[in-house]
Amino acid sequence: FINVFMVLLLSLMLWMPMGLGAAWGEAVIPETPSGADADTWTEGDADAEAGYEETAGVGAGEEEVTFVTHTEKARVLSVVERIPAPEEQIKLEQTVQLEILTGKFKGQITETVNVLSGNYIYELPVEEGDKVMVHIEEYLDTGDYVVFVSDYVRDTYIYWLGAFFLLLLIAIGRMQGVKTIVTLAITMTLIYKVLLPALLAGYSPIMITAALAVIINIVTYLVISGVRRKSFAAMIGATLGVIIAGVLAYGVGSMVRLTGLSGEEAGMLMYIPQGTQFNFKELMFSGILLGALGAVMDVAMSVSSAIDEVHRANPLLKSKALFSAGMTVGKDIMGTMSNTLILAYTGSSIPLLLIFMAYDTPLARIINLDLIATEIVRSLAGTIGLVLTIPITAVIAVGLKGKN
């Protein structure tokens, strides 16, 4: 039965991302030449913004120009700085010579002007030797192109950090570390090949996330611990814990009228090219489920493993002693993991909290803000699910040992 179940599960995982095609959000954006984005704007209209279609106001003497955009990497070869006059109202002007490193224009040398306005949020000061991301607009009628510095190249160091992380997993965990990498790969594949395309296609966020959480839960435990009783105990305990967290978050969130639009990214989803009509409240609860899943799985496996090891050491122990051992481990984990969840959810809000403190914002106003209320519900619901996972998993683990 277990072998048949595993074959069906793996077949489902492979079929879902590959076999559903456009129904799951794939190939929604129309193709453009050389993989670039084609746009048009009206020549002679100084207010027309590049990258957006502009068709109104085409009259005598005006010509429609088509261009494609590329995002590539480049290296800064030299920088010449000019301090502008006060009336120019900019801080510094950099004439930057660039060598394009990727894409259609690889190897070409070009120049661009990088203006520093004094607003540190949007400034990108560069130095010789820096690697930067550039935005290229190529005009199809003439073949000319213009280049703008759009960001720094950061992925190189991120890849090195990721490689170091994987090496540590293998060096310390040995075979268990390899299994961890496999489960990470499966989880990332399910998120980026199933969850996100399904959400873009308009499927219910809660249903898709709940199904995916169960699959991640099952696959992770079976890969890490194999087909054993402690795996099934942790599996069931974690699933129930996540369901409790989700139901609690949904119920309380509905009562306090959370909108799911507290972050500006949610608002930006209203204008995506796919035109999907999102249920933002369900998207928020989807995030709560995924956020709680990792911590709940950690606690469930720790409790189940503790009971399994105690039972192996002394098979004659009664159920009460086994349950007590599991609860002892669970209580120790509970204190640290509860802090972990709350700190993880609030750590990104430190600048906002500093603003509240700087302006002496009343506590009643802070708590009743949609953004803050969302994070509080997210933190508490996830933590409650984590805490209840401990006794649930302990009871199930003891029961699967055949103890009365």
Side-chain angles (χ1 to χ4, degrees), residues 155 210 237 245 252 302 360 374:
D155 59 359
V252 176
S302 298
D360 292 325
T374 298

Side-chain angles (χ1 to χ4, degrees), residues 326-349:
M327 289 298 296
T328 299
V329 173
K331 289 173 186 177
D332 290 339
I333 298 172
M334 181 177 65
T336 56
M337 289 303 297
S338 297
N339 277 338
T340 299
L341 266 182
I342 292 177
L343 290 174
Y345 287 138
T346 58
S348 59
S349 302

Side-chain angles (χ1 to χ4, degrees), residues 301-324:
M301 179 51 80
S302 298
V303 172
S304 183
S305 292
I307 292 176
D308 183 69
E309 289 301 317
V310 171
H311 179 68
R312 284 169 176 268
N314 189 353
L316 300 179
L317 279 179
K318 294 185 177 181
S319 59
K320 184 177 180 181
L322 285 176
F323 179 79
S324 177

Side-chain angles (χ1 to χ4, degrees), residues 183-184 187 191 209 212-214 216-217 220-221 234 237-239 241-243 245 286-302 333 337-338 340-341 344-345 382-383 385-386 389:
T183 60
L184 281 173
T187 299
I191 290 174
T209 306
L212 210 67
V214 172
I216 291 173
N217 193 5
T220 299
Y221 286 136
T239 299
V242 170
I243 290 174
S286 171
I288 292 175
L289 284 176
L290 278 183
L293 179 61
V296 168
M297 288 176 64
D298 185 12
V299 170
M301 179 51 80
S302 298
I333 298 172
M337 289 303 297
S338 297
T340 299
L341 266 182
Y345 287 138
T383 305
L386 182 149
T389 299

Side-chain angles (χ1 to χ4, degrees), residues 69-76 94 96 98 100 102 110-116 120-126 130-137 146-154:
T69 61
H70 308 263
T71 299
E72 307 293 351
K73 295 180 181 179
R75 180 186 292 109
V76 177
Q94 295 181 317
V96 183
L98 298 165
I100 301 175
T102 59
T110 185
E111 280 192 358
T112 187
V113 175
N114 186 34
V115 176
L116 307 182
Y120 295 104
I121 297 176
Y122 304 105
E123 285 185 351
L124 291 167
V126 297
D130 285 349
K131 288 186 177 180
V132 294
M133 300 299 297
V134 293
H135 177 83
I136 303 174
E137 293 179 0
V146 292
V147 179
F148 308 95
V149 176
S150 60
D151 217 326
Y152 299 113
V153 171
R154 298 183 174 96

